[in-house]
Each structure stands twice: as C-alpha cells, then as structure tokens.
Amino acid sequence: PRLRRYREIHPSDMSSFACALGKRLGEVLTGLGQPAALCLEKPYVDGAVGGLALTLRVPLVLLCVNGGDAPLVREQQRRIAELPTLRACFAMNLHVPDRDDLFFPLPLGLPHHADGLHRGGLRGASD
C-alpha cells in the first residue's frame, strides 16, 4: 500500500470518508472474529475512530502513522481510548499521553520519501 493517499481526498470530504472507512473496517474485522491490528495514517484517525466505534467488536491494536508531522494529540487520544475493544495504540509523534497504559510511541521512521514518490534522492546509510 502507498502512504499519503489521503491527499487525494478533498479536506471537506475527509471526515465522512474516514468514518465510512472505519465503519467498513470494523465490519470486516468483526466478521473475521479474530483480534486485529490496524494501521491508519493520522489524517484518517478522527473519522475512522467514529466508524470503528459503530461496528468493531474484536480486540484491536491501533497503529497511527505518518500523515505529515502532525502529532497525535491528547484530544485524539481521548477519542481513540473510547473504543471499547482497544487494547493498545502505537503512534508516531505521540504527545505525552494521559493513558500511558494504552498509548505508546511508535519508534518507526517513515520519512516522507518512504512512500515511493521520491525514490531518486534515496541513499543507503553506508553511502
């Protein structure tokens, strides 16, 4: 999958799109009947959490990645924490959480050029 697909969605449609995405993901994951790990880019998080809350019924570990340098702020963390089946949330650029038993920093570097759009300027660590 490619990162930064959210840029193809008009900002005024982002919330409704992400909510529909979360709702459908919750239906599919619940239908599978197994605990799940779900990776979302941060621009989808707010809407997707609303959709997941409607349909998700299996234990969930959520990974919140990239989406620019926007942090996962406490307000977003509070909404995520309301998911009844959430077991843990790992996030890049995580603000200090209120719930350090539920929110953890994701020590994963995904720079903007890791999405395959900027291959020309990449160099290895030994270059």
Side-chain angles (χ1 to χ4, degrees):
R2 271 186 39 196
L3 297 175
R4 297 183 358 188
R5 298 302 299 255
Y6 62 87
R7 290 183 174 194
E8 299 170 12
I9 300 168
H10 193 276
S12 65
D13 297 328
M14 180 64 72
S15 182
S16 61
F17 172 81
C19 184
L21 175 66
K23 185 177 178 184
R24 182 66 182 134
L25 287 170
E27 291 168 351
V28 170
L29 295 173
T30 297
L32 293 173
Q34 299 289 323
L38 177 61
C39 182
L40 286 173
E41 284 188 281
K42 285 186 274 181
Y44 295 124
V45 168
D46 291 333
V49 166
L52 286 167
L54 298 173
T55 58
L56 185 68
R57 303 292 178 259
V58 295
L60 176 70
V61 172
L62 183 63
L63 309 174
C64 299
V65 300
N66 266 14
D69 287 331
L72 191 70
V73 297
R74 285 182 173 169
E75 181 180 325
Q76 289 174 304
Q77 294 173 34
R78 287 184 197 108
R79 284 195 297 273
I80 293 168
E82 291 175 0
L83 289 170
T85 62
L86 184 70
R87 299 298 180 258
C89 178
F90 294 86
M92 297 173 69
N93 201 0
L94 177 70
H95 273 197
V96 175
D98 290 331
R99 299 264 325 258
D100 61 3
D101 62 321
L102 198 58
F103 291 91
F104 307 93
L106 183 61
L108 175 68
L110 290 176
H112 69 87
H113 55 266
D115 63 5
L117 298 177
H118 300 88
R119 295 182 192 275
L122 293 180
R123 296 192 175 171
S126 62
D127 290 348

